[in-house]
Amino acid sequence: MEERATAELRELLGERLSTAPSVLDLHGRDESSLPPSPPDAVAHPRSTEEAAAIVAICARHRVPVIPFGAGSSLEGHVLATRGGVSVDTQLMDQIRRVSLPDLDVTVQAGVRRVALEQRLGPDGLFFSVDPGADASLGGMAATGASGTNTVRYGTMRENVLDLEVVLADGRVIHTGTRARKSSAGYDLTHLFVGSEGTLGLITELTLRLHAIPEAVSAAACPFAGVEAAVATAIAIVQAGVSIARCELLDATMMRAVNEHAQLDHPAAPTLFLEFHGSPAGVEEDARYVAELAREHGGGDFTWASRTEDRNRLWRARHNAYFAGLALRPGCRALTTDVCVPVSELAGCIEETLADVEQLPFPAPLLGHLADGNFHMMMLIDPSDPEERRIGQDAYDRLVARALAAGGTCTGEHGVGLGKRRSLADEAGAALGVMRSLKQALDPAGLFNPDKVLGA
Ligand SMILES: Cc1cc2nc3c(=O)[nH]c(=O)nc-3n(C[C@H](O)[C@H](O)[C@H](O)COP(=O)(O)OP(=O)(O)OC[C@H]3O[C@@H](n4cnc5c(N)ncnc54)[C@H](O)[C@@H]3O)c2cc1C
């Protein structure tokens, strides 16, 4: 990056521009198994005006801009493959307004989901999208994130009402309003949700909120095999039960979480379930689901209704990623996240399990089953090219299987660097339309180069 650009950024930001090697290193890596690639500088704006000024300086000097939230993404999204400026939104952490009557909130892009939860809880409200990491709301919109509640409350796509975005040409736009619905023109909100920092920098978001339900009940149920757990989840969805969470951990993953979090669940494929509603509604749904599970050979339900008991129950699921990594010290995870129509889920998982048996490394499986979305966490030795090749081949076979079943290569993690080929296979001719949009909004290709569409 040329010195003039650094000098102008320093004049704008002072100490909030960093070129310290440790800071660059932190912003050039993520949780993926891809090698790090640090930026030339890291900028910490506090306001939309500063963010727009940073983008203007970078545009003038043709310096890449890589938006950065919490850096928890899994596909090389934040790697600075061509250097440039990582724009870290962590100081953009203001919750601007909360509206109880309208059930919405406006936040700066750097607000983290746990901080938002803590702010909303005392008002009896919550924001439903809960990825396993304490991600930023800007990053969650940019990746089209989802979490354990999606089957009931939707992904980021269903929960963003409006975005404020800095474009490559310096314009600051709003993509929507606070209205619950709109037929006004092209749907720019949904263009930027999932754009992974390649079309603009999100500076503020207006989000839908939900009232904390009157009654919440959670349960864990072990099964003799993954197939029976999957069949139960499919039966729950097809019966139209309004389940709030329906998550699977396979036996390997259950062993991992037991060891990692000192829990004592049976080391068997387990469904974690949660019901939200009125006390009578929750009881009725829970009884019906327990019956469905029994019909599919499920074991005893462990129930939890008090908050602290539910938190203890869900600890197994929340710890799954790092518990999985601990199964093989020194490994990195090659994590898949295909999503298929729920009627195709059993077949897709069955074939995947047969494939996993042939792999020379552990590959625990977990899933947001009611969404048709599951992860295979391939624990590879990053220094062994043969393991990486075997893992990548299994990954490609799984994506091909999901696409053949009418599904997608990524239900929630996004494309980044890792899934560009899969996106091309999935999108076909639509990839050309995506390229035209990128060209129209960012003709110099400065925003997060190489991600999603490639060079
Ligand atoms: C343990 C663990 C569990 C996870 N569980 C889930 C899960 O259940 N569901 C799920 O969906 N994901 C999950 N993830 C992945 C990750 O948490 C999500 O992708 C999350 O949305 C990333 O947010 P972030 O703030 O960390 O973004 P970052 O990693 O910082 O950035 C991600 C992408 O968004 C872009 N970006 C960031 N901020 C902005 C902005 N303000 N404007 C424009 N672009 C921006 C970046 O350029 C990058 O392309 C998990 C990750 C881990 C490590």
Side-chain angles (χ1 to χ4, degrees):
M1 185 165 113
E2 62 176 272
E3 274 175 28
R4 189 76 208 116
T6 312
E8 284 181 31
L9 288 167
R10 189 158 323 273
E11 197 178 321
L12 176 73
L13 299 167
E15 297 209 328
R16 287 183 288 116
L17 183 80
S18 179
T19 51
S22 59
V23 177
L24 301 183
D25 180 64
L26 204 71
H27 289 76
R29 59 174 69 241
D30 67 0
E31 282 292 335
S32 73
S33 57
L34 295 162
S37 192
D40 298 310
V42 178
H44 290 97
R46 286 202 181 110
S47 63
T48 300
E49 292 68 31
E50 281 187 351
I54 292 166
V55 171
I57 293 170
C58 289
R60 220 171 22 253
H61 295 280
R62 300 229 153 198
V63 171
V65 174
I66 303 106
F68 188 99
S72 70
S73 44
L74 297 166
E75 292 289 349
H77 291 75
V78 293
L79 305 192
T81 45
R82 294 169 192 238
V85 178
S86 172
V87 182
D88 184 329
T89 57
Q90 68 172 298
L91 299 181
M92 300 180 71
D93 61 353
Q94 299 300 304
I95 297 174
R96 296 285 193 213
R97 44 166 287 284
V98 178
S99 169
L100 238 83
D102 292 322
L103 289 175
D104 67 20
V105 63
T106 300
V107 298
Q108 281 190 300
V111 170
R112 299 285 187 96
R113 70 167 192 84
V114 172
L116 183 60
E117 188 179 310
Q118 285 163 353
R119 164 66 184 82
L120 297 173
D123 285 334
L125 301 173
F126 75 106
F127 179 66
S128 60
V129 186
D130 66 336
D134 187 16
S136 71
L137 273 308
M140 287 165 61
T143 53
S146 57
T148 59
N149 282 316
T150 300
V151 58
R152 171 94 180 231
Y153 302 99
T155 71
M156 285 304 280
R157 286 187 197 277
E158 287 76 38
N159 285 288
V160 176
L161 292 168
D162 176 35
L163 296 172
E164 181 187 72
V165 186
V166 178
L167 301 179
D169 64 7
R171 278 178 293 178
V172 178
I173 60 161
H174 278 261
T175 62
T177 66
R178 286 181 54 215
R180 285 276 151 160
K181 59 183 198 176
S182 168
S183 298
Y186 298 156
D187 188 348
L188 297 184
T189 303
H190 288 104
L191 176 62
F192 283 94
V193 172
S195 62
E196 300 186 14
T198 63
L199 298 180
L201 175 66
I202 299 165
T203 45
E204 277 193 11
L205 309 88
T206 297
L207 306 164
R208 284 172 191 256
L209 300 177
H210 302 273
I212 294 174
E214 195 187 347
V216 178
S217 191
C221 176
F223 288 82
V226 167
E227 292 79 1
V230 173
T232 304
I234 294 171
I236 293 170
V237 176
Q238 290 176 342
V241 180
S242 69
I243 193 125
R245 289 169 155 169
C246 179
E247 302 279 307
L248 168 76
L249 270 62
D250 77 355
T252 312
M253 194 53 105
M254 288 305 293
R255 264 195 301 280
V257 294
N258 278 342
E259 273 169 37
H260 189 255
Q262 279 91 49
L263 297 168
D264 55 2
H265 291 286
T270 302
L271 277 187
F272 289 83
L273 304 155
E274 193 164 280
F275 306 90
H276 294 179
S278 67
V282 161
E283 200 184 318
E284 191 182 330
D285 286 344
R287 203 172 329 110
Y288 184 69
V289 166
E291 188 54 40
L292 279 179
R294 228 182 337 269
E295 281 169 19
H296 289 89
D300 289 339
F301 270 50
T302 308
W303 288 103
S305 294
R306 290 182 318 154
T307 309
E308 54 274 31
D309 297 338
R310 283 204 317 273
N311 289 346
R312 196 157 43 79
L313 191 87
W314 279 107
R315 217 161 72 216
R317 173 62 185 90
H318 291 318
N319 279 309
Y321 182 79
F322 295 105
L325 286 181
L327 279 174
R328 194 179 183 201
C331 72
R332 300 291 284 176
L334 193 56
T335 309
T336 69
D337 78 316
V338 299
C339 186
V340 297
V342 91
S343 64
E344 300 285 343
L345 189 61
C348 190
I349 289 187
E350 200 178 313
E351 287 176 33
T352 304
L353 288 173
D355 208 349
V356 164
E357 273 179 27
Q358 315 300 321
L359 298 178
F361 39 73
L365 188 138
L366 65 160
H368 312 294
L369 285 195
D371 307 329
N373 183 201
F374 68 95
H375 307 297
M376 187 168 63
M377 230 181 128
M378 290 183 275
L379 304 177
I380 59 166
D381 173 352
S383 64
D384 183 342
E386 182 59 4
E387 282 202 7
R388 189 177 282 279
R389 185 194 62 74
I390 293 171
Q392 189 59 49
D393 286 352
Y395 192 113
D396 292 344
R397 286 194 295 275
L398 175 49
V399 168
R401 203 174 293 135
L403 297 190
T408 174
C409 63
T410 172
E412 56 182 21
H413 294 164
V415 176
L417 293 170
K419 293 206 188 85
R420 291 176 298 182
R421 204 152 35 91
S422 305
L423 174 68
D425 290 343
E426 179 173 331
L431 197 72
V433 179
M434 292 186 203
R435 285 195 199 288
S436 303
L437 288 166
K438 169 76 176 169
Q439 177 65 25
L441 287 172
D442 181 19
L446 294 182
F447 268 115
N448 209 4
D450 299 324
K451 315 302 159 27
V452 184
L453 302 174

